[in-house]
Every structure is written in C-alpha cells, then in structure tokens.
C-alpha cells in the first residue's frame, strides 16, 4: 500500500515537473521576441487641441516631440504623461502574455513598488 502511495506521489510530482518544464520552454522561446518588441516599441499621444504630439519608448523616455502653434507647458507635460502611461500599459500587456500575474515582475509593473519583485506570491 505504501508503494502505491509513493508511486502516486511520484506520478503527481512528475506531472507537475512536466508542466513547469513546458512553461519554462514557452517563456524562453518568447523572451527573445518580447525583448525585440519592447525595444522597438514607440507610443505616441496627441493633445486634445492637436498642438502637441509626444512619442516615448517602452521605458517612457521621450523620443520625439512635435509642437504646432504655441502650446502651454502644462499641455506638453500632460501629453508626454499620457504617452508614458500608454507605453506602460502596452509593456504590461506584452509581458502579461508570458508571465503569470503573480510574478514579481508583473506585480512591480502594476504597483511600481520594488518590494514587489522580492515578495512571495503566496503571501
């Protein structure tokens, strides 16, 4: 009877190992593509009045700014912030296709708290 219980436990562990191995292979194969997509990402936002268009990269760094007429500084700043927020959402969505929501990276993307990277997902 103990032998059967040991076999059942071993079978369950092997099945779980196989499942994790498949996830790791999927993650590895998708990481290269994800890195390229994130590196190439450019996100633009245009102000309501159309006088400002800001383009940022995946990290939210401003890479282009187009101004028409004479927009105020607050319109420029809010347009850049809108582009940054959109870039963050897109990167989070891209990463979410590979990483589980409970992963440290995804928790950090959601809350911006560095402690999320090290927190145990079972807490």
């Amino acid at each position: 009877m103990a032998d059967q219980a040991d076999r059942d436990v071993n079978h369950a562990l092997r099945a779980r190992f196989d499942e994790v191995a498949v996830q790791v292979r999927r993650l590895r194969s998708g990481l290269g593509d994800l890195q390229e997509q994130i590196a190439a990402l450019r996100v633009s936002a245009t102000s309501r009045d159309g006088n400002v268009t800001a383009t940022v990269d995946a990290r939210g760094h401003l890479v282009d700014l187009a101004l028409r007429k004479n927009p105020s500084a607050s319109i420029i700043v809010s347009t850049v912030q809108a582009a940054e927020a959109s870039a963050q959402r897109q990167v989070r969505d891209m990463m979410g296709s590979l990483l589980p929501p409970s992963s440290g990276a995804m928790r950090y993307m959601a809350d911006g708290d560095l402690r999320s990277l090290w927190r145990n997902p079972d807490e």
Side-chain angles (χ1 to χ4, degrees), residues 38-50:
I38 288 175
L41 184 67
R42 297 294 181 268
V43 179
S44 296
T46 301
S47 62
R48 289 183 186 180
D49 62 8

Side-chain angles (χ1 to χ4, degrees), residues 44-96:
S44 296
T46 301
S47 62
R48 289 183 186 180
D49 62 8
N51 289 326
V52 178
T53 299
T55 303
V56 299
D57 64 14
R59 294 181 293 170
H61 293 168
L62 186 64
V63 295
D64 191 38
L65 182 64
L67 307 174
R68 292 181 30 207
K69 298 187 181 178
N70 192 14
S72 69
S74 64
I75 291 176
I76 294 169
V77 169
S78 65
T79 305
V80 171
Q81 289 172 337
E84 289 170 342
S86 181
Q88 287 176 351
R89 280 190 303 276
Q90 288 186 38
V91 169
R92 188 171 43 244
D93 290 347
M94 293 163 86
M95 290 178 63

Side-chain angles (χ1 to χ4, degrees), residues 101-112 116-121:
S102 62
S103 70
M106 292 305 294
R107 289 192 316 266
Y108 173 72
M109 292 290 295
D111 63 22
S116 294
L117 293 172
W118 299 284
R119 189 169 40 239
N120 183 340

